[in-house]
Amino acid sequence: MQLADVRAAAAADAATISRLLADAIRGSYHEILGEIPVHRLVSHQCALPRIRAEIEIPGGAPGWLGWLVATGEDGTIVGAAAGGVPVPGEGELYALAVAESSRRRGVGSALLGATTERMRGFGAVAQRVSLPSDTDRDPSLPFYASQGFAPLNPTRLGRPLRLP
C-alpha cells in the first residue's frame, strides 16, 4: 500500500493537477464516451486558468472547499480532489483523480476521506458525485461502491455521511 500525504493545493500545483485530471479523464473515458465528448470534458474541467483560479480563490467561494492533493513519499503529486458544500447539508465531490501508477494503493481513499472531513466541517450529512458516463459502464463505479456510494440516477451517486 502506498502512503499518501494529503494537503491543500498551492498555486504551484495547478499545472500538475490539470495534467493529472486530463490524463485520468482520457484514460478512463475515451473508449466509453468517444473522442469529442472526452475532448470537451478535458477542455472544460482541466483548463489551467480555471484550476489556477479555483486554487487561488481567497477564503473560498460560497460552497467551494477547494482542491486537495495527495503526494507520494518523494513529494510528487499522485492524486487530486476538489469538493464543496453547495447546498446546506449536501457535500459535492467535483473531481477525484489518481495517477494510473498510484491507483489501488489507498490514494483515492485518502483524498476522499480528507475531502469528506472538510465537508463534514461545513455541515454536510450526505455526499454526492456526478459521473461522466452512466454508472453501469463507469470505470470509477467499483471505487465509489466500495466507499458506500449508491446510484441515485444513471450518472449520479450518493451516500449518507456518518458522524466521525
Side-chain angles (χ1 to χ4, degrees):
M1 176 175 246
Q2 174 175 323
L3 297 177
D5 290 321
V6 177
R7 62 171 173 79
D13 300 327
T16 303
I17 293 169
S18 175
R19 276 192 307 273
L20 179 70
L21 189 56
D23 289 347
I25 290 170
R26 286 183 190 110
S28 297
Y29 295 103
H30 187 267
E31 288 185 28
I32 295 170
L33 299 176
E35 185 176 343
I36 292 172
V38 165
H39 178 74
R40 285 184 185 137
L41 264 175
V42 168
S43 295
H44 182 259
Q45 299 296 329
C46 309
L48 184 56
R50 174 188 175 151
I51 292 172
R52 187 174 288 127
E54 290 172 346
I55 290 171
E56 295 175 356
I57 293 173
W64 171 247
L65 299 180
W67 282 95
L68 296 175
V69 293
T71 57
E73 289 179 10
D74 64 355
T76 302
I77 294 174
V78 295
V85 182
V87 175
E90 191 169 300
E92 185 74 27
L93 184 64
Y94 298 124
L96 184 121
V98 176
E100 190 170 350
S101 62
S102 295
R103 292 182 185 162
R104 293 173 183 74
R105 296 182 180 181
V107 176
S109 296
L111 283 163
L112 181 59
T115 303
T116 300
E117 288 310 307
R118 278 185 158 192
M119 291 176 184
R120 279 191 184 116
F122 283 83
V125 295
Q127 194 172 46
R128 309 281 185 257
V129 62
S130 294
L131 305 176
S133 67
D134 64 64
T135 55
D136 289 340
R137 299 182 330 152
D138 197 288
S140 65
L141 182 59
F143 169 76
Y144 287 117
S146 76
Q147 301 292 323
F149 285 84
L152 300 172
N153 68 41
T155 60
R156 197 142 163 81
L157 305 173
R159 70 177 181 172
L161 295 180
R162 295 181 199 94
L163 296 175

